[in-house]
């Protein structure tokens, strides 16, 4: 069932009310200081929004991905930045579908209560990029433990997470028939690992994203922390990746709606040559076009979420949802900045911050080019190009 068919009004209203307690000067300050929005994340946790996907038997709300998408969309629509905590939602795709019952009982109640944070997704590596099958981080079984060596990059929120889902090779690439085989997923307890084989180095970027590089040197991970079967991890993380793309798409829709509201209000108020600039078609038309793109992308996000919630294949839809929504948010952001003129570059208007934040999703969590390659090959049947 799609978001529009669901009655999510109460959820949206409650999230909007919570976000209103964190005005724009709060986000300007955290951005300026490159500070993690601890207070905001705590408020979302205490309200139960970050545990919305966790089943009720483990202390969560047991909601569907469509509800999580509505929550994140509302956060972005308010002018906040859900990137500080969205991983706790999209990692649930892997955890809920592939973790053992013992693992769920061990970790999910703590996550639901806010005692544990699952905010880190250790996938990308410096030499592999979007070619996940080419990762070099290796995990070797030694008795009741795996010894892991390697490196990860763009692992956001690692410094603020208690748990990390880590993808590593358990069988060398040259020893498998398909390059996506031989990959395994592990749950890493971050605090126990720090200083015992795990090192985290923050990476300063153009946005306040709390992203890091991780170095892994003979880190011991209990064998009981292996998710599912050894060597089947690539399939497991796809559930997390599809959820991630859908939820990022929802965030982009929220960003786009924020930009559109901001641009529309300013165009109606700002007067040049004795009249509101919004009277000019040169100002109206770009805003109207961005609105159309946003509404169209929102439909694809809803469709992808509905397929995911129904347990149906949704790879193409998830990729299209993320890409179309990212393009719509960037179009709306560029239009909003253009509408504001010079004032759009001023920190106090918040446009420049959101402009920087939404630009990320043109390349993350998957690049535009790889989305197009995927659709060309797997949907349209064209020859593989990479």
């Amino acid at each position: 069932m799609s978001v529009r068919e669901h009655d999510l009004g109460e959820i949206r209203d409650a999230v909007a009310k919570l976000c209103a307690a964190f005005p724009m000067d709060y986000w300007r300050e955290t951005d300026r200081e490159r500070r993690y929005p601890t207070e905001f994340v705590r408020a979302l946790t205490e309200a139960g929004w970050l545990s919305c996907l966790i089943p009720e038997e483990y202390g969560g709300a047991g909601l569907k991905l469509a509800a999580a998408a509505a929550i994140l969309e509302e956060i972005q629509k308010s002018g906040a930045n859900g990137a500080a905590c969205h991983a706790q939602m999209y990692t649930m795709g892997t955890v809920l579908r592939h973790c053992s019952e013992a693992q769920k009982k061990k970790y999910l109640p703590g996550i639901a209560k806010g005692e544990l944070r699952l905010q880190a997704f250790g996938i990308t590596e410096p030499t592999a990029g979007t070619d996940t099958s080419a990762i070099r981080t290796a995990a070797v079984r030694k008795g009741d433990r795996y010894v892991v060596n390697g490196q990860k990059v763009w692992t956001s929120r690692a410094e603020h997470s208690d748990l990390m889902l880590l993808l590593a090779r358990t069988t060398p690439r040259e020893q498998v028939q398909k390059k996506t085989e031989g990959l395994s997923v592990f749950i890493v307890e971050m605090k126990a690992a720090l200083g015992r084989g795990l090192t985290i180095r923050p990476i300063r970027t153009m946005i306040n994203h709390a992203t890091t590089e991780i170095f892994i040197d003979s880190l011991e991970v209990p064998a009981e922390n292996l998710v599912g079967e050894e060597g089947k991890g690539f399939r497991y993380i796809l559930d997390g990746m599809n959820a991630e793309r859908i939820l990022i798409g929802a965030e982009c829709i929220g960003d786009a709606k924020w930009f559109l509201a901001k641009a529309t209000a300013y165009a109606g108020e700002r007067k040049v040559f004795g009249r509101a600039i919004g009277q000019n078609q040169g100002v109206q038309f770009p805003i109207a076009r961005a609105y159309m793109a946003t509404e169209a992308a929102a439909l694809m996000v809803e469709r992808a979420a509905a397929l995911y919630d129904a347990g149906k294949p949704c790879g193409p839809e998830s990729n299209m949802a993320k890409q179309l929504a990212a393009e719509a948010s960037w179009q709306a952001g560029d239009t909003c900045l253009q509408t504001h003129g010079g004032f759009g570059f001023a920190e106090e208007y918040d446009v420049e911050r959101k402009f920087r934040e939404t630009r990320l999703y043109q390349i993350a969590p998957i690049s535009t080019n790889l989305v197009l390659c995927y659709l060309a090959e797997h949907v349209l049947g064209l020859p593989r190009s990479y």
Side-chain angles (χ1 to χ4, degrees), residues 3 7 26 81 171 193 225 236 248 254 291 310 347 353 381:
V3 170
D7 180 14
Y26 172 82
N81 189 3
T171 302
N225 283 27
Y236 301 159
I248 293 296
Y291 173 78
E347 183 186 68
R353 171 179 63 83

Side-chain angles (χ1 to χ4, degrees), residues 55-133:
E56 292 181 79
E57 60 262 38
Y58 304 110
L63 299 179
K64 297 195 173 202
L65 193 73
I71 291 167
L72 289 175
E73 179 188 319
E74 204 63 43
I75 289 172
Q76 300 302 114
K77 183 181 172 184
S78 77
N81 189 3
C85 50
H86 59 195
Q88 195 142 299
M89 292 184 177
Y90 62 69
T91 50
M92 285 297 130
T94 299
V95 173
L96 296 178
R97 296 187 178 190
H98 304 292
C99 277
S100 67
E101 186 60 28
Q103 290 169 334
K104 292 176 185 178
K105 288 180 177 178
K106 181 177 181 180
Y107 296 115
L108 290 181
I111 295 172
K113 292 177 184 176
E115 297 169 354
L116 294 173
R117 285 181 181 170
L118 175 53
Q119 291 288 356
F121 208 19
I123 307 293
T124 307
E125 297 186 5
T127 58
T130 52
D131 185 3
T132 303
S133 65

Side-chain angles (χ1 to χ4, degrees), residues 107 111 116-120 161-164 188-190:
Y107 296 115
I111 295 172
L116 294 173
R117 285 181 181 170
L118 175 53
Q119 291 288 356
S161 184
D162 299 293
L163 304 170
M164 172 175 63
V188 176
E189 298 182 4
M190 304 287 279

Side-chain angles (χ1 to χ4, degrees), residues 93-95 97-98 121 123 132-133 167 178-185 227-243 308:
T94 299
V95 173
R97 296 187 178 190
H98 304 292
F121 208 19
I123 307 293
T132 303
S133 65
L167 185 69
K178 294 177 62 178
K179 62 183 181 179
T180 54
E181 295 175 346
L183 296 165
S184 300
V185 178
V227 174
E229 296 181 48
E230 182 180 296
K232 305 293 186 183
F234 185 79
R235 179 167 60 87
Y236 301 159
I237 65 166
L238 286 181
D239 279 327
M241 287 180 170
N242 284 335
Y308 186 94

Side-chain angles (χ1 to χ4, degrees), residues 12-174:
R12 291 182 181 277
D13 290 345
V15 173
K17 183 178 180 181
L18 184 152
C19 291
F22 296 88
M24 292 301 96
D25 56 0
Y26 172 82
W27 293 102
R28 285 180 218 131
E29 183 180 325
T30 56
D31 180 69
R32 191 183 308 123
E33 298 176 358
R34 303 291 179 174
R35 179 167 60 84
Y36 187 73
T38 301
E39 304 84 0
F40 179 69
V41 175
R42 183 185 300 120
L44 285 173
T45 301
E46 291 175 353
W49 299 124
L50 294 188
S51 60
C52 69
L53 295 175
I54 297 176
E56 292 181 79
E57 60 262 38
Y58 304 110
L63 299 179
K64 297 195 173 202
L65 193 73
I71 291 167
L72 289 175
E73 179 188 319
E74 204 63 43
I75 289 172
Q76 300 302 114
K77 183 181 172 184
S78 77
N81 189 3
C85 50
H86 59 195
Q88 195 142 299
M89 292 184 177
Y90 62 69
T91 50
M92 285 297 130
T94 299
V95 173
L96 296 178
R97 296 187 178 190
H98 304 292
C99 277
S100 67
E101 186 60 28
Q103 290 169 334
K104 292 176 185 178
K105 288 180 177 178
K106 181 177 181 180
Y107 296 115
L108 290 181
I111 295 172
K113 292 177 184 176
E115 297 169 354
L116 294 173
R117 285 181 181 170
L118 175 53
Q119 291 288 356
F121 208 19
I123 307 293
T124 307
E125 297 186 5
T127 58
T130 52
D131 185 3
T132 303
S133 65
I135 65 170
R136 298 179 180 179
T137 297
V140 179
R141 179 76 181 256
K142 292 188 177 180
D144 63 350
R145 294 182 175 270
Y146 284 86
V147 178
V148 186
N149 287 279
Q151 183 181 356
K152 298 293 179 180
V153 72
W154 311 125
T155 309
S156 300
R157 301 160 301 274
E159 294 179 292
H160 306 281
S161 184
D162 299 293
L163 304 170
M164 172 175 63
L165 287 185
L166 177 70
L167 185 69
R169 272 218 166 270
T170 43
T171 302
R173 188 172 178 176
E174 60 272 14

Side-chain angles (χ1 to χ4, degrees), residues 332-363:
D334 188 56
T335 297
C336 184
L337 185 63
Q338 191 72 17
T339 301
H340 280 75
F343 289 109
F345 290 85
E347 183 186 68
E348 66 181 289
Y349 281 78
D350 300 297
V351 177
E352 62 85 25
R353 171 179 63 83
K354 293 288 286 182
F355 186 78
R356 287 184 283 112
E357 290 172 356
T358 209
R359 180 60 179 85
L360 171 66
Y361 300 120
Q362 291 286 307
I363 60 170

